[in-house]
């Protein structure tokens, strides 16, 4: 499912959608993540949640979005990137500043610009919604090492 483009959201502002977003945020916080896309938890919908406060909920800014589109990318940064199972230090270069257009839970269009970690999160979660895995952004050597780690985890029963 992670390598397929997710389905576009067509119904907004429903109790089910709001509950789903609340559940996604709680799952993301439980995994100590900064972002989560619906396909990562088995739902083929273009929905993601992001909170780069790293669990410091006081004064946090969080976003949920549907059907995001990357409008503009600027600059370059290299940093850690990954999912709850593992992190890849110094993954492939990403844009330093990213502007997205998306819809909120009510279906209203909005634009948001993020820098540094937020820019990476926008790109990473949007990749998940369009069936792109972040390992495509890393070198062949790092990708091979990561695949070996996954195979080892599979043998140990720690990876499905």
């Amino acid at each position: 499912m992670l390598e397929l483009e997710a389905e576009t959201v067509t119904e907004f502002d429903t109790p089910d959608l709001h509950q789903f977003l609340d559940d996604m945020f709680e799952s993301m916080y439980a995994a100590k993540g900064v972002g989560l896309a619906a396909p990562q938890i088995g739902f083929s919908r273009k929905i993601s949640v992001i909170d780069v406060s790293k669990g410091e909920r006081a004064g946090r800014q969080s976003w949920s979005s549907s059907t995001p589109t990357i409008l503009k990318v600027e600059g370059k940064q290299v940093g850690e990137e990954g999912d709850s199972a593992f992190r890849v230090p110094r993954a492939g270069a990403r844009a330093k500043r990213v502007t997205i257009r998306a819809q909120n839970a009510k279906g209203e269009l909005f634009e948001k610009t993020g820098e540094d970690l937020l820019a990476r999160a926008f790109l990473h979660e949007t990749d998940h919604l369009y069936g792109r895995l972040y390992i495509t952004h890393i070198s062949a050597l790092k990708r091979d090492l990561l695949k070996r780690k996954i195979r080892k985890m599979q043998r140990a029963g720690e990876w499905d």
Side-chain angles (χ1 to χ4, degrees), residues 86-148:
F86 49 82
R87 300 274 185 246
V88 176
R90 301 194 59 76
R94 290 285 206 171
K96 183 168 181 57
R97 184 176 168 92
V98 174
T99 302
I100 65 165
R101 178 182 297 134
Q103 291 174 277
N104 63 20
K106 293 182 179 183
E108 303 163 332
L109 281 173
F110 70 93
E111 289 184 14
K112 177 71 182 163
T113 298
E115 294 187 15
D116 301 319
L117 180 57
L118 182 55
R120 270 199 325 271
F122 282 161
L123 293 170
H124 184 95
E125 299 312 326
T126 300
D127 277 353
H128 278 305
L129 301 179
Y130 288 90
R132 296 183 299 263
L133 301 176
Y134 79 93
I135 62 171
T136 62
H137 299 285
I138 61 177
S139 71
L141 176 61
K142 287 183 182 176
R143 190 170 31 253
D144 185 51
L145 291 171
L146 185 58
K147 286 179 181 179
R148 286 187 213 177

Side-chain angles (χ1 to χ4, degrees), residues 1-2 20 36-45:
M1 175 177 290
L2 288 176
F20 184 66
L36 182 65
Q40 291 176 278
I41 55 173
F43 293 91
S44 180
R45 296 285 184 274

Side-chain angles (χ1 to χ4, degrees), residues 6-153:
E7 296 175 26
T8 300
V9 177
T10 57
E11 292 185 36
F12 295 91
D13 207 18
T14 65
D16 286 344
L17 177 60
H18 289 287
Q19 183 61 56
F20 184 66
L21 290 168
D22 288 344
D23 292 345
M24 284 185 68
F25 273 111
E26 288 307 313
S27 295
M28 180 188 72
Y29 293 134
K32 297 184 178 16
V34 298
L36 182 65
Q40 291 176 278
I41 55 173
F43 293 91
S44 180
R45 296 285 184 274
K46 287 183 182 161
I47 299 172
S48 63
V49 296
I50 295 172
D51 182 348
V52 296
S53 72
K54 297 182 182 178
E56 299 168 15
R57 296 179 184 211
R60 76 171 189 246
Q61 291 186 334
S62 57
W63 294 272
S64 60
S65 67
S66 298
T67 61
T69 302
I70 304 296
L71 298 178
K72 187 175 185 180
V73 294
E74 301 172 87
K76 192 175 186 179
Q77 65 170 310
V78 178
E80 184 180 85
E81 190 166 338
D83 290 310
S84 58
F86 49 82
R87 300 274 185 246
V88 176
R90 301 194 59 76
R94 290 285 206 171
K96 183 168 181 57
R97 184 176 168 92
V98 174
T99 302
I100 65 165
R101 178 182 297 134
Q103 291 174 277
N104 63 20
K106 293 182 179 183
E108 303 163 332
L109 281 173
F110 70 93
E111 289 184 14
K112 177 71 182 163
T113 298
E115 294 187 15
D116 301 319
L117 180 57
L118 182 55
R120 270 199 325 271
F122 282 161
L123 293 170
H124 184 95
E125 299 312 326
T126 300
D127 277 353
H128 278 305
L129 301 179
Y130 288 90
R132 296 183 299 263
L133 301 176
Y134 79 93
I135 62 171
T136 62
H137 299 285
I138 61 177
S139 71
L141 176 61
K142 287 183 182 176
R143 190 170 31 253
D144 185 51
L145 291 171
L146 185 58
K147 286 179 181 179
R148 286 187 213 177
K149 181 177 181 179
I150 291 170
R151 283 193 295 272
K152 183 177 179 183
M153 291 172 73

